[in-house]
Amino acid sequence: MTDADTDVPTNAFTLADLAEIVATRAQAGPDQSYTAKLMASRPEGPAKKLGEEAVEVVIAAMAGDRQALTYEAADLIYHLLVVLEAGDVRIADVLAELQRRTALSGLAEKAQRKR
Protein backbone atom coordinates (compact mmCIF):
# COMPACT_ATOMS: atom_id res chain seq x y z
CA MET A 1 0.00 0.00 0.00
CA THR A 2 1.33 3.46 -0.93
CA ASP A 3 0.40 7.07 -0.39
CA ALA A 4 -1.30 8.08 -3.65
CA ASP A 5 0.37 11.51 -3.66
CA THR A 6 3.96 10.35 -3.14
CA ASP A 7 4.24 6.68 -4.11
CA VAL A 8 5.83 6.11 -0.70
CA PRO A 9 4.75 2.97 1.14
CA THR A 10 2.45 3.96 4.00
CA ASN A 11 4.60 1.91 6.38
CA ALA A 12 7.78 3.53 5.02
CA PHE A 13 10.87 4.31 7.03
CA THR A 14 10.71 8.02 7.91
CA LEU A 15 13.06 10.85 8.74
CA ALA A 16 11.65 10.73 12.25
CA ASP A 17 12.66 7.05 12.46
CA LEU A 18 16.18 7.88 11.34
CA ALA A 19 16.41 10.88 13.68
CA GLU A 20 15.46 8.63 16.59
CA ILE A 21 18.16 6.12 15.63
CA VAL A 22 20.73 8.93 15.36
CA ALA A 23 19.73 10.29 18.80
CA THR A 24 20.02 6.83 20.36
CA ARG A 25 23.36 6.04 18.74
CA ALA A 26 24.74 9.46 19.69
CA GLN A 27 24.51 8.32 23.33
CA ALA A 28 26.77 5.29 22.76
CA GLY A 29 30.51 5.31 23.16
CA PRO A 30 32.59 6.57 20.22
CA ASP A 31 34.22 3.14 20.03
CA GLN A 32 30.81 1.51 19.55
CA SER A 33 29.00 3.89 17.20
CA TYR A 34 30.02 5.90 14.14
CA THR A 35 27.34 8.42 15.08
CA ALA A 36 28.81 8.79 18.57
CA LYS A 37 32.28 9.15 17.07
CA LEU A 38 31.05 12.02 14.90
CA MET A 39 29.26 13.59 17.87
CA ALA A 40 32.47 13.48 19.92
CA SER A 41 34.05 15.88 17.43
CA ARG A 42 31.16 18.35 17.32
CA PRO A 43 30.49 20.81 15.97
CA GLU A 44 33.35 20.68 13.47
CA GLY A 45 33.39 16.93 12.75
CA PRO A 46 29.73 16.45 11.86
CA ALA A 47 29.61 19.75 9.95
CA LYS A 48 32.71 18.90 7.91
CA LYS A 49 31.34 15.46 7.06
CA LEU A 50 28.00 17.01 6.01
CA GLY A 51 29.86 19.33 3.65
CA GLU A 52 31.78 16.42 2.13
CA GLU A 53 28.57 14.50 1.58
CA ALA A 54 26.90 17.53 -0.02
CA VAL A 55 29.73 17.76 -2.54
CA GLU A 56 29.37 14.04 -3.32
CA VAL A 57 25.64 14.56 -3.97
CA VAL A 58 26.42 17.40 -6.37
CA ILE A 59 28.99 15.29 -8.21
CA ALA A 60 26.58 12.35 -8.56
CA ALA A 61 23.79 14.67 -9.74
CA MET A 62 26.00 16.33 -12.33
CA ALA A 63 27.17 12.93 -13.57
CA GLY A 64 23.57 11.84 -14.04
CA ASP A 65 24.31 8.70 -12.01
CA ARG A 66 20.97 7.79 -10.45
CA GLN A 67 22.34 4.98 -8.29
CA ALA A 68 25.20 7.08 -6.94
CA LEU A 69 22.83 9.99 -6.35
CA THR A 70 20.52 7.75 -4.33
CA TYR A 71 23.43 6.43 -2.25
CA GLU A 72 24.98 9.85 -1.67
CA ALA A 73 21.61 11.44 -0.87
CA ALA A 74 21.12 8.84 1.86
CA ASP A 75 24.56 9.71 3.26
CA LEU A 76 23.70 13.42 3.12
CA ILE A 77 20.40 12.99 4.95
CA TYR A 78 22.02 10.85 7.65
CA HIS A 79 24.82 13.36 8.19
CA LEU A 80 22.34 16.26 8.23
CA LEU A 81 20.49 14.50 11.04
CA VAL A 82 23.76 14.08 12.93
CA VAL A 83 24.46 17.83 12.55
CA LEU A 84 20.93 18.61 13.75
CA GLU A 85 21.41 16.31 16.75
CA ALA A 86 24.74 17.96 17.53
CA GLY A 87 23.03 21.36 17.39
CA ASP A 88 20.09 20.21 19.52
CA VAL A 89 17.65 20.82 16.65
CA ARG A 90 14.79 18.34 16.27
CA ILE A 91 13.68 17.09 12.87
CA ALA A 92 10.11 17.98 13.89
CA ASP A 93 11.18 21.63 14.08
CA VAL A 94 12.75 21.47 10.61
CA LEU A 95 9.64 19.80 9.19
CA ALA A 96 7.42 22.43 10.85
CA GLU A 97 9.51 25.15 9.21
CA LEU A 98 9.19 23.43 5.83
CA GLN A 99 5.45 23.13 6.33
CA ARG A 100 5.24 26.83 7.20
CA ARG A 101 7.14 27.71 4.04
CA THR A 102 4.92 25.62 1.78
CA ALA A 103 1.95 27.84 2.67
CA LEU A 104 3.44 30.31 0.15
CA SER A 105 5.07 29.93 -3.22
CA GLY A 106 8.84 29.70 -3.07
CA LEU A 107 9.23 33.17 -4.56
CA ALA A 108 6.79 34.73 -2.08
CA GLU A 109 8.45 32.95 0.84
CA LYS A 110 11.90 34.19 -0.19
CA ALA A 111 10.61 37.75 -0.53
CA GLN A 112 9.38 37.65 3.10
CA ARG A 113 12.74 36.54 4.56
CA LYS A 114 14.72 39.03 6.57
CA ARG A 115 17.83 40.17 4.80
Side-chain angles (χ1 to χ4, degrees):
M1 182 181 240
T2 63
D3 180 312
D5 294 331
T6 63
D7 289 331
V8 174
T10 53
N11 62 346
F13 184 72
T14 68
L15 285 176
D17 295 334
L18 183 56
E20 187 175 323
I21 291 168
V22 167
T24 299
R25 292 185 180 169
Q27 301 304 312
D31 58 330
Q32 301 204 341
S33 165
Y34 175 70
T35 301
K37 185 176 181 179
L38 281 172
M39 292 292 286
S41 65
R42 68 181 153 191
E44 295 87 6
K48 180 180 174 189
K49 191 63 181 168
L50 178 64
E52 291 170 7
E53 296 302 337
V55 169
E56 291 173 3
V57 166
V58 170
I59 291 168
M62 292 179 67
D65 186 335
R66 188 174 187 277
Q67 183 176 1
L69 181 56
T70 300
Y71 181 87
E72 297 302 343
D75 281 353
L76 180 66
I77 291 168
Y78 161 77
H79 285 92
L80 173 59
L81 290 174
V82 173
V83 167
L84 293 175
E85 180 70 22
D88 197 29
V89 174
R90 302 290 156 242
I91 191 64
D93 296 332
V94 175
L95 294 173
E97 175 61 15
L98 287 170
Q99 183 177 26
R100 183 194 67 77
R101 290 181 185 188
T102 59
L104 301 171
S105 75
L107 295 176
E109 187 277 327
K110 281 188 171 193
Q112 287 185 352
R113 289 186 193 174
K114 295 178 184 174
R115 295 181 192 250

